[in-house]
Structure formats: structure tokens, C-alpha cells
Amino acid sequence: VTTNAKRVDKLKMTFTIDQNRITQTGPQDIYVCITAPDGKPVSVEALGSGTFTTRDGVQLPYTKKIQINYVQGEKQPVSVEWSQNSKFQTGEYKIAIYNNGFKIGEGTRTLKKGGLFG
């Protein structure tokens, strides 16, 4: 685990899906949308990135899509990893999690310059 951008080879996001009594048990698609410090979405088609439609009808790029086997009324831990062919930039990465067209969570991760001279 590091916050030094030069040493980062992947981002690992962990979160918990809260219990929901409405959503039926079964497979659910989770979309992870990462925005780089330069404001551009992190999206590499060759690594499984694409687009999805929100409940507002807006097309958004996603970085990674995973499928979980949701159990109605239970909390569920989820872990997602993203590695890319290029180096990670220094700065703040914004991460948003979507399910069924709704944003269900968000967070940030800051990667810093490393080394003796910053």
C-alpha cells in the first residue's frame, strides 16, 4: 500500500453494499467510474471499460464493471482492483460507484510525488 504515484501499479477499492429490502436476490452489475486528476475519465476499452446509462438518461464512461451476486437484505463487502498499462498521475482520483443507474457511493484517493525532492 502506497500513496506514491510512481510506485502505484493498481488501485484497490473496497466498499460495502448496504442491505436493501427492495432489490431482489441475484446478479447485479456494479460500475466503477474513476476520474483522473486531469479531469478525464479513466477508460481503457481493451481492459473492459465502456459506457452505461444513468437513471437520468446520461451516458457515462465507466472504468470497470463487475457483477456481484447480491442477497436481498444483507450487507455485502465488495473489492475491485484497477491496473492500467500506463503510470498513474499525481493528484486526486475521484471514484464513483453506480448500480442500476444510481450513484451508490463515492470517494477520493490522492497520489503524491515521491522521493527525496518531492
Side-chain angles (χ1 to χ4, degrees):
V1 176
T2 184
T3 59
N4 181 334
K6 288 183 182 179
R7 294 182 180 208
V8 172
D9 59 355
K10 66 181 170 183
L11 293 176
K12 183 175 182 180
M13 294 131 305
T14 56
F15 53 94
T16 302
I17 304 285
D18 282 339
Q19 51 187 320
N20 184 329
R21 294 190 180 121
I22 298 171
T23 301
Q24 297 296 315
T25 296
Q28 292 288 322
D29 289 334
I30 304 292
Y31 296 94
V32 178
C33 304
I34 302 173
T35 304
D38 62 7
K40 296 179 182 173
V42 176
S43 182
V44 181
E45 269 189 56
L47 298 176
S49 299
T51 60
F52 73 101
T53 305
T54 66
R55 284 293 176 139
D56 299 332
V58 176
Q59 286 279 109
L60 286 181
Y62 65 84
T63 306
K64 187 164 186 176
K65 174 180 145 180
I66 63 166
Q67 192 173 72
I68 63 167
N69 193 16
Y70 182 74
V71 178
Q72 186 179 36
E74 291 185 10
K75 288 185 177 185
Q76 185 166 349
V78 178
S79 182
V80 181
E81 293 182 356
W82 172 257
S83 56
Q84 58 189 25
N85 297 331
S86 58
K87 296 281 184 187
F88 285 90
Q89 302 172 25
T90 59
E92 187 175 83
Y93 284 82
K94 295 178 181 158
I95 302 157
I97 311 295
Y98 288 83
N99 172 250
N100 204 19
F102 294 107
K103 184 189 286 188
I104 61 171
E106 63 185 343
T108 59
R109 169 56 77 192
T110 302
L111 300 182
K112 303 173 188 172
K113 285 186 178 182
L116 185 59
F117 300 106

